[in-house]
Amino acid sequence: MLGPDRNTQARPRNFASCSGCNLCLLVCPVWRRTHDFALTPHGRAKALQHGAAAADLAESIQGCTLCGACEPVCPEEIPLIAMTLDLRRQMPQPAAVQELRTRMEAQAGHEPSPRSGPVRALLPGPALRGRPDTMERAVALLGGTGSIRLADDDGADIALALEAGSTIASRRMEQFLRPLRALKQMVIAEGLLLRHLRPLLPGAALISLGEALSRLDAVRGALRAGDLYVIEPRAYHGDYQRLVRHYDALRAASGCAFNLDLQRIAVPATARSLPQRLGLETIDDGVQLRWIMQGRKVTRIVVEGVEDHAAFEGISALPVVHLADLADDGAS
Amino acid sequence: MQLTDIEPGTVGPCPVAPDALQGIKRQQTNPARWNGPNWAAFSAALRSQGIEVRETAAARAAFATDAGGTAYGLAHGVVIARSTEQVALLLKCAQTHRVPVTVSGGGLTTEGESVAFGGVLLDMTGMSRVLAIDAAALTVRTEAGIFWHSLAEELRRQNLDYLSAPLNLTSSVGGTLGVGGIDVNSARLGCSADQALALQVVTPTGDIVECSDTENAELFQRVILGYGQFGVITEATLRVRPYTPLRMHYFYYASLRTAIEDLQLLDRNEASDYSGILTIMDCAVNVLVAFDSLGRETAFIADWRPRLRGYGELGFGLRTLAHYLLRPWKLGEAWYLLQRKRELFPELQRPEYMRDGTMFDRSVVFSRAVWKFWGSRQMVIPDLATSAEKFVEAVERGNAVCRKYFPHYTLYLVGIKLRPEHRAHYEMSCVPPDAEGWAYGCEFEPMMDAGVYSRDTLQSFKNEIYDIGVDMGASYYRFGGMMKGYIRRVFGDAMVDRHLEMKRKADPAMILNRHVIF
Ligand code: SF4
Ligand code: SF4
């Protein structure tokens, strides 16, 4: 053994430690759509390793859908989502994000009135609020309003600001967090918000709406072989090691298929870049949806995400059912 | 000092050139960078034909190195391959303007073979579509930039699988067909390159040619295992098979020699569907055996298991415990073994990839383990490929070199069934000329997780391994790029000159992957 050449510094967990394995490409929806290496985590890492700045990688950084699929497969355990958001922070913010910040600052002035009641809350996010019937059924399944409350402030603006890599005024953040600190359990529909809140609220159990519903006997009993169950990717990948086992057990119990690839990574159905989220670019989910459906023989599509519901209805003649509506689905 | 420009393929006057290094220490470097005459005219010509050429620093930097992480070079521009016609246009233009073209697939070379030292880098992963799956004929036609894993994803939707592919998931099909491709079923099915039934190739002069054993057979022979010298593979027709989960067995040995002898016994008798050796240390050698069906597994247990000299996990654990109790000064070694076992074994048996005791996704399990436990920013994986008869000696000598350089390393050993009708493909390739029936390959992979090594140390290590090959008349899988100084030594001037002559004829301006072999 040659001693003197060895240098045993701990290795960093950032883009500098990217080994170039390409595993992130295999799961990245942007890669699937473009086959453009520069738009992938590997491409960003290599460019940064060789001197590129955030501004040089604008298209790549804004194009990431933050689905989180790349993170659990990265053997170097690089926190790829946090690093992409950090790169977004280094870039000029689009006008829509500036407006959002102004709105958030205005909202920070309003003190929420204190509420007593259940110590569990559902943070539905704008998509679920847009489907009040489904939201009501979700609340009923989770125990009804006596057991779980609908959060007045579900941090929709914070979720969007996070997505944009925008800084969030501490006053607004505190205003959002204060009522949540009294809670024991939160069911959060928005996966990126869920990831962000977990370390901020260590005393509470935070789970995704998909996980919360799929643990219920009424929902599990309504799943059947022939269903394609579409996992919401952000929450799943944010807690992958635990949830991969949860869904594997669900597969074994129900016999349904999942939008999982061979690595057990969730294939996002509605993967949206930042400009798409901000309404600055048109949305085309076709590539992802076709890939999820390719070669599958299924009779019903069951989705965790409301956005996925609309997307599948747009391309498939099969019945599409939200998890919250599953127990009431006549076809069950 | 004035350095003269040397035409690729010729032996220059430099006294320290790779070919002048017999008997003295070799510390090789990247090739000199192409200095760019005609670049502007070339890129303008591509653009005028609608081909996007990326010349920003960020675009070029993304391809500055390969998985080896020891060769660095910058292309003048990057082109993403989008169609066969576009690749043909690019090569025609490159011949006219004498601009070097370096082709990259997964970029998983370790000796800088897919790194451009000037000129244009052609990123083949832009051509990654599966074109047609014929489940009845058990074939697939695919664009060649696709990663093997992406191909597997598509095949699995039809309950099919590829025959054999490299263990790392992200090699491209085209790149693999150009160099070999070894899997744990290669002892039964041959290397990945042997699975190709037909190819669409763009020649270095930009002609689009379909080739196979029966059509343009000479081109087919040169392109398969041709290290990218005779054309760019744009499409491939490959054999596929019905998907089966794997029934795995692991046997543990304290001796490399015994493990290799048992591996070869199994291979000779086709006693298993998959076989290979992976070491944790040279005194903790794992022979991996697996089966596609219960019938094959049962037959193995009845007929061959009793003849193997390896232990099961418990038996080997007890034996190892006794060994170290009697040698307390080696407790550090014991601790390393224990740690490695704790980390590695659960990864090979993750419940989400296992069903009813069978491994469902072998490529995922192995590949994740490969990258997690063996991947790092620097990777050198020198190898030796020999006939079955010479293999034990080659591995033992290589192992002694590893011991000298690194505290921890892994050896990965597999057999490769040879197809007599493909002899012509094997010429000047990783298949040693004296191998009959099976060739055997061993990769020597240092564990560099805990440290960073100087490039000189790594190069000296590789040279010592490759010197064994010269001495024993072996061959190598990774003999291109920075290791090309060995090519004339192992294959001899006559054969190399013959191939060089063919290369000159096929590629008059010597533009295609020019620094890889010649
Ligand atoms: S988060 Fe999703 S879209 Fe973004 S790089 Fe990772 S896999 Fe690709
Ligand atoms: S998975 Fe991680 S280490 Fe591998 S290429 Fe992507 S970012 Fe780099």
Side-chain angles (χ1 to χ4, degrees):
Chain A
M1 168 190 161
L2 298 181
D5 284 330
R6 297 198 59 214
N7 165 4
T8 50
Q9 286 164 2
R11 58 180 176 172
R13 299 271 174 228
N14 55 34
F15 280 134
S17 60
C18 169
S19 65
C21 69
N22 282 330
L23 294 186
C24 51
L25 271 64
L26 298 175
V27 297
C28 176
V30 179
W31 166 256
R32 174 164 293 281
R33 187 170 50 79
T34 62
H35 285 122
D36 185 340
F37 175 73
L39 303 182
T40 66
H42 182 187
R44 291 194 279 282
K46 286 293 154 193
L48 290 164
Q49 282 178 4
H50 296 98
D56 301 324
L57 308 174
E59 188 189 350
S60 183
I61 295 165
Q62 307 289 36
C64 171
T65 71
L66 301 178
C67 69
C70 48
E71 237 179 44
V73 300
C74 177
E76 299 296 326
E77 295 171 13
I78 303 171
L80 292 163
I81 295 290
M83 301 210 61
T84 302
L85 291 176
D86 191 46
L87 288 166
R88 280 190 183 169
R89 270 191 284 280
Q90 296 170 36
M91 295 177 50
Q93 301 280 318
V97 177
Q98 310 272 22
E99 284 161 23
L100 172 69
R101 285 182 64 173
T102 315
R103 277 206 312 277
M104 288 170 78
E105 267 155 38
Q107 191 182 340
H110 304 292
E111 268 308 302
S113 44
R115 271 182 61 171
S116 58
V119 289
R120 297 168 68 220
L122 168 66
L123 280 66
L128 189 56
R129 279 192 197 278
R131 287 182 60 123
D133 291 353
T134 302
M135 186 168 71
E136 263 174 40
R137 272 194 281 274
V139 171
L141 279 166
L142 293 170
T145 46
S147 166
I148 189 163
R149 70 166 86 145
L150 263 183
D152 298 327
D153 177 1
D154 63 7
D157 55 343
I158 290 175
L160 190 57
L162 281 173
E163 178 123 16
S166 172
T167 44
I168 298 161
S170 53
R171 251 173 14 123
R172 169 69 188 116
M173 199 64 198
E174 184 51 29
Q175 177 198 37
F176 172 56
L177 290 177
R178 201 174 307 129
L180 301 183
R181 289 204 186 95
L183 299 173
K184 293 267 180 289
Q185 192 197 50
M186 271 159 272
V187 177
I188 303 175
E190 211 319 304
L192 194 66
L193 188 65
L194 172 61
R195 285 175 75 120
H196 189 75
L197 289 183
R198 238 186 216 124
L200 299 178
L201 297 164
L206 274 62
I207 59 170
S208 70
L209 179 61
E211 183 189 354
L213 292 175
S214 65
R215 286 196 182 279
L216 301 173
D217 287 342
V219 174
R220 295 171 78 94
L223 286 167
R224 61 187 188 213
D227 281 346
L228 170 65
Y229 183 116
V230 182
I231 300 169
E232 193 284 309
R234 286 178 164 184
Y236 174 67
H237 298 133
D239 195 5
Y240 175 79
Q241 296 298 345
R242 189 176 65 82
L243 289 177
V244 71
R245 308 269 154 96
H246 165 68
Y247 286 105
D248 200 44
L250 191 55
R251 176 201 55 77
S254 67
C256 60
F258 286 82
N259 60 326
L260 296 177
D261 67 9
L262 298 183
Q263 296 197 71
R264 308 298 184 266
I265 293 298
V267 181
T270 49
R272 308 277 159 80
S273 68
L274 179 60
Q276 286 173 334
R277 292 250 174 230
L278 296 173
L280 306 173
E281 275 178 18
T282 49
I283 291 166
D284 179 7
D285 298 319
V287 173
Q288 288 301 110
L289 295 171
R290 279 194 296 277
W291 170 233
I292 291 174
M293 297 305 291
Q294 186 177 312
R296 292 192 195 273
K297 293 179 183 64
V298 295
T299 53
R300 183 174 64 170
I301 301 167
V302 178
V303 297
E304 289 185 350
V306 170
E307 286 177 334
D308 292 354
H309 191 284
F312 276 106
E313 276 189 333
I315 61 127
S316 173
L318 294 171
V320 184
V321 188
H322 189 275
L323 209 52
D325 300 325
L326 193 59
D328 293 340
D329 183 34
S332 291
Chain B
M1 181 179 144
Q2 182 70 39
L3 287 179
T4 18
D5 251 1
I6 301 165
E7 186 65 16
T10 59
V11 178
C14 175
V16 289
D19 291 289
L21 293 177
Q22 298 266 8
I24 61 167
K25 274 259 181 270
R26 289 168 290 282
Q27 290 179 346
Q28 290 154 13
T29 59
N30 301 162
R33 189 166 193 260
W34 177 73
N35 63 16
N38 308 335
W39 172 258
F42 169 72
S43 60
L46 292 187
R47 286 199 180 95
S48 73
Q49 302 186 71
I51 297 175
E52 185 194 3
V53 186
R54 297 182 180 177
E55 294 182 65
T56 64
R60 295 181 297 140
F63 296 91
T65 188
D66 61 2
T70 55
Y72 287 86
L74 269 191
H76 284 74
V78 173
V79 170
I80 302 179
R82 294 296 182 193
S83 71
T84 303
E85 292 69 29
Q86 178 226 37
V87 173
L89 269 176
L90 181 139
L91 283 167
K92 276 198 173 94
C93 255
Q95 284 289 338
T96 308
H97 295 280
R98 304 182 76 83
V99 172
V101 179
T102 303
V103 184
S104 173
L108 298 188
T109 57
T110 53
E111 302 300 329
E113 299 95 317
S114 57
V115 175
F117 302 94
V120 64
L121 185 128
L122 178 62
D123 172 13
M124 286 304 294
T125 59
M127 290 182 68
S128 289
R129 287 172 308 160
V130 172
L131 301 171
I133 297 173
D134 187 336
L138 290 178
T139 62
V140 61
R141 179 79 168 185
T142 180
E143 289 185 333
I146 196 169
F147 297 132
W148 285 98
H149 180 74
S150 305
L151 178 62
E153 290 274 7
E154 300 238 5
L155 291 172
R156 275 291 283 284
R157 296 281 176 98
Q158 301 205 24
N159 213 29
L160 297 169
D161 200 359
Y162 50 62
L163 264 66
S164 71
L167 285 193
N168 58 42
L169 282 185
T170 52
S171 298
S172 70
V173 165
T176 305
L177 299 182
V179 295
I182 315 294
D183 197 346
V184 279
N185 59 14
S186 290
R188 197 167 57 91
L189 300 176
C191 65
S192 310
D194 274 338
Q195 317 307 330
L197 294 170
L199 303 176
Q200 182 189 63
V201 172
V202 181
T203 67
T205 48
D207 297 318
I208 301 171
V209 183
E210 186 72 20
C211 61
S212 66
D213 275 331
T214 52
E215 186 183 3
N216 298 309
E218 206 179 320
L219 180 65
F220 193 54
Q221 285 163 14
R222 291 286 61 81
V223 171
I224 292 282
L225 299 166
Y227 288 75
Q229 295 304 296
F230 296 95
V232 178
I233 303 172
T234 46
E235 290 180 16
T237 304
L238 306 170
R239 289 196 291 152
V240 299
R241 61 179 175 144
Y243 162 77
T244 48
L246 239 65
R247 295 156 188 281
M248 304 287 306
H249 294 257
Y250 301 101
F251 301 102
Y252 301 88
Y253 293 74
S255 147
L256 265 173
R257 174 176 287 268
T258 316
I260 295 171
E261 286 169 358
D262 279 6
L263 176 80
Q264 293 186 333
L265 172 81
L266 296 177
D267 292 348
R268 271 195 311 275
N269 293 284
E270 302 211 346
S272 67
D273 296 326
Y274 304 78
S275 60
I277 291 178
L278 203 60
T279 69
I280 299 178
M281 293 175 61
D282 57 4
C283 58
V285 180
N286 176 233
V287 174
L288 166 167
V289 180
F291 306 90
D292 281 325
S293 68
L294 181 62
R296 291 275 289 158
E297 184 184 39
T298 311
F300 163 81
I301 291 168
D303 301 338
W304 296 102
R305 173 66 191 99
R307 301 191 209 187
L308 296 185
R309 289 164 286 175
Y311 297 83
E313 195 178 327
L314 181 65
F316 190 72
L318 292 173
R319 186 192 177 283
T320 308
L321 182 69
H323 174 87
Y324 286 113
L325 284 177
L326 294 171
R327 295 166 186 80
W329 62 93
K330 284 191 165 182
L331 272 180
E333 203 175 284
W335 177 245
Y336 173 76
L337 271 180
L338 201 62
Q339 284 299 105
R340 204 68 188 156
K341 176 182 173 298
R342 273 209 203 118
E343 290 165 3
L344 185 60
F345 284 30
E347 193 66 26
L348 295 176
Q349 289 159 7
R350 288 169 66 108
E352 63 267 29
Y353 301 120
M354 307 291 293
R355 285 186 200 163
D356 307 324
T358 61
M359 187 187 278
F360 245 65
D361 300 291
R362 73 183 165 99
S363 63
V364 175
V365 174
F366 291 140
S367 177
R368 284 174 78 123
V370 163
W371 286 108
K372 190 163 174 185
F373 296 102
W374 290 280
S376 65
R377 280 163 291 161
Q378 279 184 311
M379 281 197 285
V380 291
I381 318 175
D383 61 279
L384 291 169
T386 75
S387 63
E389 297 73 29
K390 291 177 180 173
F391 194 54
V392 171
E393 183 190 339
V395 174
E396 287 185 337
R397 286 175 66 178
N399 179 57
V401 174
C402 289
R403 263 180 175 273
K404 196 166 66 166
Y405 279 84
F406 300 101
H408 303 123
Y409 54 89
T410 289
L411 312 185
Y412 169 48
L413 295 73
V414 277
I416 307 150
K417 178 89 164 273
L418 303 179
R419 288 174 59 180
E421 73 277 19
H422 279 184
R423 272 275 160 213
H425 295 202
Y426 301 149
E427 192 175 281
M428 216 174 112
S429 79
C430 56
V431 177
D434 60 347
E436 296 287 342
W438 283 266
Y440 276 85
C442 177
E443 294 186 336
F444 302 88
E445 180 157 5
M447 312 290 296
M448 293 199 276
D449 236 21
V452 177
Y453 291 82
S454 75
R455 213 168 76 160
D456 287 352
T457 298
L458 299 178
Q459 188 64 46
S460 298
F461 163 63
K462 289 186 286 184
N463 288 341
E464 275 202 51
I465 297 282
Y466 276 41
D467 284 345
I468 298 167
V470 174
D471 191 42
M472 293 186 66
S475 183
Y476 320 100
Y477 188 68
R478 294 178 181 79
F479 59 61
M482 286 189 287
M483 300 311 289
K484 72 177 176 183
Y486 280 89
I487 291 175
R488 282 181 182 273
R489 284 191 214 117
V490 289
F491 297 115
D493 285 338
M495 186 186 290
V496 177
D497 285 338
R498 193 156 53 76
H499 279 250
L500 178 56
E501 202 179 311
M502 290 190 276
K503 167 76 173 166
R504 286 224 166 90
K505 221 162 114 194
D507 183 0
M510 297 291 276
I511 48 146
L512 184 59
N513 295 318
R514 63 191 267 155
H515 60 266
V516 174
I517 297 293
F518 297 110

